[in-house]
Amino acid sequence: MADARIFADLKADHDRHRDMLAKLGETHGDSEERRTLFAALSKELQAHAAAEEESLYAAMLADPKLRDEARHSVAEHKEIDDFLAELADTDMSSNAWLMTFKDMRHRYLHHIEEEEEDMFPAAAEGLSAETEAKIARVFEKRKPKELELAEDQGPGDERE
């Protein structure tokens, strides 16, 4: 049941992230456009990851058959968060920023492709429709709260 609401919500976020990454990749130097897009992307990725971990990943971690995939994805979220922190601390007009951004974009695109092609179908097979509906409710409630928290923090800031 990979078309369940939670998977549709997550895929919609992923599509938005792909678009944001493409737009950010077209920016140049330490411009207002790059700063604005990077701040928006950072907030969106942090909110998405936190809500996804609290909803889908929490359910997957409780299932021994899905646990390894969830752990792998949590580790990838940490890697992306580390990239965002590094980018926030790097001069946006430098080659180092662009190279780090390209590395982060590549890793994130790989991560969401892996989720969509492998993890979501495995979760859909392993989780009941009732659980999927509960996960969707948790995600849809948590993500706006995470976006509010991200508004109060800069890109790459650690959250408790």
Side-chain angles (χ1 to χ4, degrees):
M1 183 182 297
D3 62 341
R5 192 170 94 214
I6 182 57
F7 303 113
D9 287 347
L10 295 169
K11 174 83 168 60
D13 271 8
H14 292 171
D15 289 343
R16 185 170 39 261
H17 301 163
R18 287 180 182 99
D19 183 56
M20 294 172 85
L21 286 164
K23 287 177 181 171
L24 186 55
E26 294 172 3
T27 64
H28 301 282
D30 189 355
S31 64
E32 184 62 33
E33 180 185 25
R34 180 174 277 181
R35 287 187 173 282
T36 301
L37 288 170
F38 177 67
L41 176 69
S42 294
K43 291 172 188 170
E44 175 64 28
L45 292 181
Q46 289 175 340
H48 172 87
E52 185 175 48
E53 288 172 14
E54 187 175 313
S55 60
L56 178 61
Y57 292 3
M60 291 178 69
L61 286 167
D63 183 330
K65 290 181 253 170
L66 301 172
R67 190 172 295 145
D68 286 343
E69 285 190 71
R71 285 181 178 151
H72 174 75
S73 287
V74 168
E76 288 183 339
H77 280 183
K78 172 68 171 116
E79 180 183 24
I80 298 303
D81 201 50
D82 290 346
F83 271 119
L84 293 173
E86 183 178 347
L87 286 165
D89 291 339
T90 303
D91 177 0
M92 284 190 165
S93 64
S94 70
N95 283 340
W97 192 92
L98 189 57
M99 290 177 63
T100 302
F101 169 75
K102 287 179 179 180
D103 286 346
M104 185 274 299
R105 179 176 59 190
H106 173 78
R107 291 297 301 139
Y108 185 69
L109 292 174
H110 167 79
H111 167 74
I112 60 178
E113 179 180 306
E114 203 171 58
E115 282 188 333
E116 292 172 2
E117 293 180 9
D118 300 327
M119 179 193 276
F120 293 174
E125 188 176 304
L127 301 172
S128 70
E130 181 181 328
T131 300
E132 288 177 4
K134 178 183 175 200
I135 292 167
R137 288 191 301 273
V138 170
F139 180 83
E140 291 166 358
K141 182 178 178 183
R142 188 67 195 173
K143 185 166 177 217
K145 289 179 182 178
E146 288 295 329
L147 283 170
E148 285 180 30
L149 286 172
E151 284 294 324
D152 296 335
Q153 299 173 341
D157 283 355
E158 293 293 321
R159 285 183 291 180
E160 295 295 319

